[in-house]
Amino acid sequence: METKNHSTSTSGFILLGLSSNPHLQRPLFAVFLAMYLVTVVGNVLIILAIHSDSRLHTPMYFFLSNLSFMDICFTTVIVPKMLVNLLSETKAISYVGCLVQMYFFMAFGNTDSYLLASMAVDRLVAICYPLHYDVAMNPRRRLFLLLGSCTISHLHALFRVLLMSRLSFCASHVIKHFFCDTQPVLKLSCSDTSSSQIVVMTETLAVIVTPFLCILFSYLQIIIAVLRIPSAAGKWKAFSTCGSHLTVVALFYGSVIYVYFRPLSMYSVVKDRVATVMYTVVTPMLNPFIYSLRNKDMKRGLRKLRERLHLQ
C-alpha cells in the first residue's frame, strides 16, 4: 500500500461539520454545548453518587461508574472540537490531530461496548446464578473485565490508526463529517482502499460484534431463567433490573450497527451524521437519566450526595 502524501501531513483536513449553512452554526453551537454540559454534569453526578454511597459499591454500579467515565471521555474527544469548528471559519484539523481523534474515539467507544457486555454478564450471574454472584463477580474479576475491555479497545484503535496512516490523500481534504471517522476519511483517499475496507470491516465485526453477541447470549439465558419464575411479580422484578441496560444497549448498538456495518458504496453523509450524533452525543447524555429515573438505589445515592453537598 502507498505511503501517505506529504502534503496531507502538513495541510491536514477540513471538517465540514453538521451543516454548511452559516445561519445554523450558532444555534447548533448552543444546542451541542448544552448537550455536552448535561452529559458531563450528569455522568459526574452518577460517578460521585456511586462512590459516596457504600450500598452502591456492587459489581453493577462499579461497571456503571466506569461506563459514565468512558462516556465523558468519549464525548470529550468529539464535541469540544466540533463546538470550536461551529464558530470557526476554517474548520481545520491537522493530519496528526485527525489520527489522534480517530484513535481515542475508537478506544473509548469500544471500551463502552465492552463495558455494556460486562454489565450484561453481571446481570446474567445475578439472575441465573445468585448464590455464586459474590464469588463470580469478585473485585479481582471486575478489575480483569475492566482492564480487558480497555486493552482490547486500545489495541483495536492503534491497529486502525496505523492502517489509516498508510493511505494517501491527493485531492480533496474536506471530510464530510463533524469528526475524523473511518468511513469519511477512507472516502478521501486516492490509494486503493479495497483491501483496507475488507480489513476494517472484518476487524470491526470481530471487535464490535463480540461484545454484542455476549449481550445477546446473556439476555437469552436471562429470559429463559425469568420465564421459569412462577409468579408474575417475580418475573417483573427480575426484568426490571435489566430495563435500563437494555435501553442503553438498543440506543448504542442500533446506531453503531447502522453506521459501520455497510459497504463504503452505501455510505450516506446525512444519515450517517444523524446516526453518529445518536451514539456519540445523545446516548452518553441520556445514560445518567436512563440509569437513575427508575432506579431506587441510584435515586437514594443521588439524594445522599445532594445532602452531603448542602452540608458542606
Side-chain angles (χ1 to χ4, degrees):
M1 196 178 294
E2 299 174 41
T3 56
K4 67 181 182 347
N5 185 301
H6 179 69
S7 65
T8 303
S9 64
T10 55
S11 61
F13 299 104
I14 303 296
L15 290 167
L16 197 60
L18 287 168
S19 173
S20 56
N21 187 337
H23 300 294
L24 289 177
Q25 303 304 300
R26 291 187 183 277
L28 285 172
F29 175 85
V31 169
F32 281 95
L33 176 61
M35 293 174 76
Y36 178 65
L37 292 175
V38 170
T39 300
V40 173
V41 172
N43 282 290
V44 165
L45 287 175
I46 291 290
I47 294 168
L48 292 176
I50 290 170
H51 284 273
S52 63
D53 189 345
S54 59
R55 285 178 290 186
L56 296 179
H57 293 175
T58 63
M60 182 174 74
Y61 293 108
F62 168 80
F63 291 122
L64 178 56
S65 65
N66 281 285
L67 181 70
S68 291
F69 176 71
M70 288 300 161
D71 279 343
I72 294 170
C73 297
F74 184 48
T75 316
T76 300
V77 170
I78 306 297
V79 178
K81 179 61 179 174
M82 180 177 69
L83 292 174
V84 170
N85 285 349
L86 283 168
L87 299 181
S88 171
E89 294 293 329
T90 58
K91 304 183 188 301
I93 185 169
S94 68
Y95 177 76
V96 173
C98 186
L99 291 182
V100 169
Q101 186 183 57
M102 190 182 292
Y103 173 86
F104 284 107
F105 162 73
M106 286 184 289
F108 293 134
N110 284 317
T111 303
D112 253 15
S113 69
Y114 277 95
L115 285 175
L116 288 171
S118 299
M119 293 171 81
V121 172
D122 173 75
R123 292 299 82 209
L124 168 67
V125 177
I127 293 170
C128 299
Y129 311 100
L131 297 178
H132 303 285
Y133 183 66
D134 290 336
V135 175
M137 301 303 292
N138 61 56
R140 181 177 291 181
R141 286 184 182 166
R142 297 199 306 254
L143 185 61
F144 174 78
L145 285 170
L146 174 63
L147 293 178
S149 300
C150 294
T151 302
I152 292 170
S153 300
H154 280 271
L155 288 174
H156 160 75
L158 180 61
F159 175 78
R160 181 71 62 83
V161 167
L162 289 174
L163 183 70
M164 299 300 289
S165 69
R166 293 172 59 84
L167 298 176
S168 296
F169 301 92
C170 313
S172 173
H173 290 176
V174 178
I175 298 174
K176 295 179 180 179
H177 215 328
F178 56 91
F179 72 101
C180 289
D181 200 4
T182 306
Q183 297 285 45
V185 174
L186 273 175
K187 273 277 192 182
L188 298 181
S189 177
C190 56
S191 304
D192 178 11
T193 60
S194 55
S195 58
S196 297
Q197 286 183 56
I198 293 169
V199 172
V200 165
M201 186 65 77
T202 305
E203 192 239 355
T204 300
L205 277 167
V207 174
I208 295 180
V209 172
T210 300
F212 185 62
L213 290 177
C214 178
I215 292 168
L216 288 180
F217 175 75
S218 297
Y219 274 105
L220 181 63
Q221 285 197 287
I222 288 170
I223 290 168
I224 293 169
V226 169
L227 291 176
R228 291 173 181 164
I229 299 174
S231 69
K235 289 177 182 177
W236 171 249
K237 184 179 180 181
F239 274 129
S240 65
T241 63
C242 306
S244 300
H245 182 252
L246 277 173
T247 304
V248 173
V249 167
L251 284 170
F252 183 82
Y253 274 102
S255 49
V256 166
I257 288 170
Y258 176 81
V259 172
Y260 293 105
F261 292 96
R262 293 172 302 148
L264 197 60
S265 58
M266 293 177 64
Y267 175 72
S268 167
V269 174
V270 177
K271 290 179 181 178
D272 278 38
R273 282 179 192 165
V274 173
T276 306
V277 166
M278 279 299 298
Y279 75 87
T280 58
V281 183
V282 177
T283 302
M285 181 187 71
L286 292 179
N287 281 357
F289 298 101
I290 293 169
Y291 280 107
S292 61
L293 288 178
R294 296 182 62 187
N295 188 316
K296 293 179 181 178
D297 293 332
M298 274 306 311
K299 284 181 179 178
R300 186 186 63 238
L302 289 167
R303 279 197 301 270
K304 285 185 67 176
L305 178 63
R306 185 178 61 187
E307 290 166 5
R308 285 189 178 187
L309 292 173
H310 283 164
L311 290 172
Q312 289 179 357

